[in-house]
Amino acid sequence: DAGVIQSPRHEVTEMGQEVTLRCKPISGHDYLFWYRQTMMRGLELLIYFNNNVPIDDSGMPEDRFSAKMPNASFSTLKIQPSEPRDSAVYFCASSPRAGGYTFGSGTRLTVV
Amino acid sequence: QQQVKQSPQSLIVQKGGISIINCAYENTAFDYFPWYQQFPGKGPALLIAIRPDVSEKKEGRFTISFNKSAKQFSLHIMDSQPGDSATYFCAASLNSGGSNYKLTFGKGTLLTVNP
């Protein structure tokens, strides 16, 4: 298995622009998680899905953030409009039921 | 509200020494306690995990010690090597067999092993 695949690896965008991050989870994993990592706040859970259904989005910082999982093999995290304080590394992770997470390599987002 | 507190924030150990990282949790309903290892530019990777029905789990040079009454667990790295230099995260989860399974992570410990 190729693991959890995230794209792009790096994204530089201007403030106010829309940003879309993509994730392909491991086939057969029931859960998909989106995390944000910064030096100040560590790993923060933004939202997670179980069988493509959003279970908890309480970590989404603002309405500017949205996430979808249209099918079992694809998820997106969208930020519109982006702001400099959104700059971080965004990780997608997937997990089988009650198992350990497998993280992707992350997307480093820089908003200038 | 930080549900998992990790210490120290950073740790420097000599090659061959023992590295010890500690975590404390608040919620007694947590039922799964993994440790993750993260190298620069990579995502965290599962290293070792324990459930509260055992007090210790060992895998190679890595050992988790679990103290349920104190609500603490720790990672011990024996014979630490420069290749172990990374950031380590402890985590805990509720309902690891249920539909609302999610991990809460500690803030991380940057381990440096000097040659």
Side-chain angles (χ1 to χ4, degrees):
Chain A
D1 198 316
V4 176
I5 300 173
Q6 290 187 247
S7 64
R9 284 299 312 274
H10 303 274
E11 177 79 41
V12 180
T13 190
E14 292 184 348
M15 182 174 62
Q17 296 298 306
E18 177 180 294
V19 175
T20 299
L21 311 182
R22 297 172 176 79
C23 175
K24 176 179 169 56
I26 292 174
S27 177
H29 280 191
D30 294 335
Y31 291 88
L32 184 139
F33 305 84
W34 282 100
Y35 280 84
R36 178 171 67 176
Q37 186 176 38
T38 61
M39 288 294 293
M40 290 297 294
R41 301 174 69 91
L43 277 164
E44 299 176 276
L45 176 64
L46 301 177
I47 185 171
Y48 75 100
F49 297 82
N50 180 19
N51 292 322
N52 312 340
V53 176
I55 301 299
D56 185 352
D57 65 355
S58 61
M60 298 286 260
E62 300 171 33
D63 291 344
R64 298 184 295 107
F65 286 69
S66 63
K68 294 182 180 180
M69 192 167 185
N71 56 63
S73 59
F74 184 65
S75 177
T76 60
L77 177 68
K78 185 177 296 186
I79 308 172
Q80 165 63 16
S82 58
E83 297 183 3
R85 59 194 168 115
D86 301 331
S87 297
V89 180
Y90 291 81
F91 286 103
C92 174
S94 70
S95 170
R97 189 176 179 84
Y101 290 11
T102 299
F103 282 82
S105 295
T107 294
R108 181 174 295 277
L109 174 64
T110 303
V111 183
V112 298
Chain B
Q1 180 185 6
Q2 185 182 358
Q3 297 190 55
V4 180
K5 294 183 179 181
Q6 184 172 346
S7 64
Q9 195 171 5
S10 62
L11 179 62
I12 299 174
V13 174
Q14 291 300 118
K15 178 181 176 182
I18 302 174
S19 304
I20 301 175
I21 305 171
N22 300 300
C23 280
Y25 62 96
E26 299 166 3
N27 192 332
T28 55
F30 284 144
D31 60 1
Y32 176 66
F33 302 88
W35 285 89
Y36 283 79
Q37 179 188 56
Q38 185 180 27
F39 294 106
K42 303 291 186 181
L46 179 63
L47 187 62
I48 186 173
I50 198 169
R51 295 195 180 272
D53 52 345
V54 297
S55 61
E56 185 176 282
K57 183 173 181 179
K58 183 176 181 179
E59 291 184 1
R61 296 184 294 109
F62 300 89
T63 300
I64 299 179
S65 296
F66 186 81
N67 187 329
K68 190 173 182 178
S69 61
K71 295 189 287 185
Q72 295 176 345
F73 59 110
S74 59
L75 176 69
H76 292 64
I77 306 174
M78 311 300 289
D79 187 26
S80 299
Q81 299 297 312
D84 297 330
S85 297
T87 300
Y88 292 81
F89 295 92
C90 63
S93 81
L94 293 168
N95 302 305
S96 60
S99 62
N100 58 343
Y101 162 58
K102 65 177 180 180
L103 285 173
T104 299
F105 284 86
K107 293 287 190 184
T109 296
L110 178 61
L111 172 66
T112 302
V113 182
N114 289 328

